[in-house]
Amino acid sequence: MTRKREWYKGSIYHITVRGNRRNDIFRDKEDFEYYLNVIEEALFYYIQFNYKVICYCLMDNHVHLMIKTDIESLGRLMGRISASYTRYFNKKYNYIGHLFQDRYFGELIESDKQMLEASRYIHLNPVKANMVEKPGEYEWSSYNMIIGNKKEKIIDSRFILNYFKYNDTVQLYINFVENDLKVETDKEPRVE
């Protein structure tokens, strides 16, 4: 029997969805675009539940989403997203069976600090996977929307940027995310 997930009205979750056996769930640009369209469609379909996507990052074999709920748990939204994308993927690639490994994993965000750290973790995922050197170089995350380099779509950057001083919100968020890269680089052993 599947255990019922813990949910609180108005809660925020860091969601992770993985490909079955860690297989890729995105094989080309069209796949990434389709998944983002599926999220947008699902948000509209459940507009009465007032779900808000705070940030996201689509990797080759998994997805990170941070979502704020309002009056309904995430089950319906995530179920619709996964089912719609699976139908698309299976038809396109003549695939049979499960695309995703289990149900989505949802970590309850319990503090402002945890929310900011989770957003940084999400946006640094492609950097830590050695896909890009800086988070702004990765096309399939919300980072460029939050820092104003790309028009916002499906997210609301205010959830993150409201934590930073009004005049410098964007630069402070960039510093918050990218200074973490400098700290990790400084920790690496020097070769002489």
Side-chain angles (χ1 to χ4, degrees), residues 26 32 56-62 122-127 129-145 150:
F26 304 110
F32 286 102
Y56 67 84
C57 185
L58 312 183
M59 302 290 283
D60 292 341
N61 68 354
H62 68 282
I122 289 168
H123 289 134
L124 288 180
N125 225 247
V127 177
N130 295 315
M131 298 168 84
V132 293
E133 287 187 29
K134 292 193 170 228
E137 297 169 1
Y138 192 68
E139 185 176 1
W140 306 111
S141 86
S142 56
Y143 185 72
N144 281 309
M145 292 178 205
K150 222 172 156 183

Side-chain angles (χ1 to χ4, degrees), residues 41-120:
E41 185 279 329
L43 290 170
F44 184 75
Y45 186 83
Y46 290 121
I47 198 164
Q48 74 274 22
F49 297 138
N50 201 30
Y51 295 113
K52 301 289 183 202
V53 176
I54 297 171
C55 60
Y56 67 84
C57 185
L58 312 183
M59 302 290 283
D60 292 341
N61 68 354
H62 68 282
V63 172
H64 290 279
L65 300 165
M66 190 185 303
I67 300 177
K68 182 183 185 308
T69 65
D70 187 14
I71 59 172
E72 183 69 33
S73 71
L74 282 168
R76 290 183 189 200
L77 180 72
M78 292 309 300
R80 185 171 183 87
I81 291 169
S82 292
S84 295
Y85 186 74
T86 298
R87 279 192 302 274
Y88 155 83
F89 187 93
N90 286 354
K91 184 176 181 186
K92 180 177 178 179
Y93 295 108
N94 197 27
Y95 189 86
I96 297 172
H98 296 283
L99 177 61
F100 296 106
Q101 172 188 311
D102 301 322
R103 298 186 302 166
Y104 67 90
F105 172 77
E107 177 187 10
L108 177 65
I109 303 291
E110 300 185 70
S111 69
D112 296 341
K113 180 180 184 215
Q114 184 185 8
M115 185 162 110
L116 288 172
E117 288 176 355
S119 77
R120 174 169 53 197

Side-chain angles (χ1 to χ4, degrees), residues 3-63:
R3 200 180 72 161
K4 189 163 169 79
R5 295 177 187 274
E6 199 173 322
W7 174 75
Y8 307 98
K9 189 175 180 178
S11 51
I12 297 172
Y13 290 86
H14 174 188
I15 304 297
T16 309
V17 183
R18 293 199 174 282
N20 199 17
R21 294 183 206 86
R22 297 184 182 252
N23 289 333
D24 286 352
I25 54 176
F26 304 110
R27 295 183 180 173
D28 61 24
K29 182 176 180 171
E30 181 184 37
D31 296 347
F32 286 102
E33 289 171 347
Y34 194 87
Y35 193 87
L36 292 174
N37 288 334
V38 165
I39 294 172
E40 186 175 26
E41 185 279 329
L43 290 170
F44 184 75
Y45 186 83
Y46 290 121
I47 198 164
Q48 74 274 22
F49 297 138
N50 201 30
Y51 295 113
K52 301 289 183 202
V53 176
I54 297 171
C55 60
Y56 67 84
C57 185
L58 312 183
M59 302 290 283
D60 292 341
N61 68 354
H62 68 282
V63 172

Side-chain angles (χ1 to χ4, degrees), residues 145-156:
M145 292 178 205
I146 290 177
I147 66 169
N149 289 345
K150 222 172 156 183
K151 185 179 179 202
E152 279 188 28
K153 189 173 181 180
I154 77 169
I155 69 154
D156 186 341

